[in-house]
Amino acid sequence: PPPPPPPPPPIFFLQAQDGIPAAQESRGLGDVYKRQVWEYMDFGTRLNISDILNQFPEVEEAADVVPINVRQVSSSGIIPDDWVALSKTIQEVDQSRDDIDGIVITHGTATLEETAYFINLTAKTKIPIVMIGAQRPSSGFATDAGSNLLSAIRAAGSKEAAGLGVMVLLNEEIQAAREVTKTSTLRLETFQTPDLGMLGYADPDGKIAIYRRPSRPHTIDTVFDTNYISELPRVDIVPSYAGADGTAIEAFISAGAKAIVVSTLAPGLPA
């Protein structure tokens, strides 16, 4: 007889923020409950990991999923302390077992790219990390939540993901955390890498196709380490625009800013 198939890869599933929420159902005519066609993520009901796995049982056929609830907050409410806590949780997971093939993290899409960037620089692990969200709530019409989750589980556990660091995966497109940005409030293809392009695809047949690899240092190869950090210094951002003065800078200094980043006008001149 043919040998039995190999066991599914162990994947740790972390819920950092409200990455896959469920929109509340609304009453229609005649007290008939209807699925909402759309509701922005920050205003829906938030699911915990057990709810998510129960709603999409297919993902547990693709991997041995180990759920971890980190916290459930709106992505628009993320603060740097949350990044430090998530980075440390990832390192605790990395040190807890030596047979982990991948880590998947759910996150609201509003600040997903910022969290992904930070984790890509600070997570001291070789384990591939895939961050996901959903443009449409899991109870909504034509939701992308289940597809994104299954694609992320498959990608995180694949041999192709080795060495890629932190990735962002929505709409079956795999992007590098350092380079990706959100481009649209509503479109499913909102996360894009305008200058360099995506890393590859997570196809619905389970194939993970990678066409390029990041060349910049990430995860274990960076100089950043959160092991000895309890909080990050306050750094504020000041935009330049016609008519801008020093009011914002003075306010940030008074609020305790340790540094200020000035978003200047081209070619690097403040207003």
Side-chain angles (χ1 to χ4, degrees), residues 14-18 46-47 68-73 78-79 81-86 89 106:
L14 279 65
Q15 184 174 32
Q17 280 80 38
D18 59 325
R46 301 185 182 103
L47 301 177
I68 299 178
N69 280 300
V70 179
R71 55 190 62 186
Q72 287 178 268
V73 296
I78 293 298
I79 61 176
D81 287 349
D82 295 316
W83 296 339
V84 174
L86 179 58
T89 299
T106 65

Side-chain angles (χ1 to χ4, degrees), residues 6 27 38 54 78 160 253 270:
R27 286 182 181 268
W38 178 82
N54 289 336
I78 293 298
E160 289 83 2
I253 293 173

Side-chain angles (χ1 to χ4, degrees), residues 199-218:
L199 299 180
Y201 292 101
D203 289 329
D205 62 359
K207 180 181 179 182
I208 306 300
I210 301 297
Y211 297 100
R212 72 175 184 91
R213 308 183 72 83
S215 60
R216 305 289 292 275
H218 59 73

Side-chain angles (χ1 to χ4, degrees), residues 113-255:
E113 65 190 80
E114 295 177 71
T115 301
Y117 189 99
F118 183 87
I119 298 302
N120 191 56
L121 290 178
T122 62
K124 296 307 177 187
T125 179
K126 293 182 179 180
I127 302 171
I129 299 171
V130 180
M131 297 191 61
I132 61 166
Q135 285 291 89
R136 298 171 182 170
S138 59
S139 64
F141 178 75
T143 177
D144 58 330
S147 173
N148 291 342
L149 178 56
L150 181 57
S151 294
I153 293 289
R154 288 170 170 169
S158 70
K159 64 181 186 300
E160 289 83 2
L164 295 180
V166 180
M167 295 155 275
V168 172
L169 199 163
L170 282 85
N171 199 41
E172 300 175 355
E173 298 171 343
I174 304 171
Q175 316 276 357
R178 186 184 182 106
E179 303 154 357
V180 70
T181 188
K182 185 177 181 180
T183 64
S184 170
T185 300
L186 300 178
R187 302 284 80 81
L188 296 183
E189 67 277 14
T190 178
F191 283 93
Q192 299 183 20
T193 305
D195 293 329
L196 304 175
M198 70 182 77
L199 299 180
Y201 292 101
D203 289 329
D205 62 359
K207 180 181 179 182
I208 306 300
I210 301 297
Y211 297 100
R212 72 175 184 91
R213 308 183 72 83
S215 60
R216 305 289 292 275
H218 59 73
T219 55
I220 61 171
D221 294 323
T222 73
V223 298
F224 305 106
D225 191 345
T226 58
N227 281 325
Y228 309 102
I229 295 176
S230 58
E231 63 179 3
L232 297 172
R234 175 171 181 151
V235 177
D236 289 293
I237 302 174
V238 177
S240 290
Y241 53 91
D245 57 19
T247 302
I249 292 177
E250 293 171 358
F252 285 140
I253 293 173
S254 297

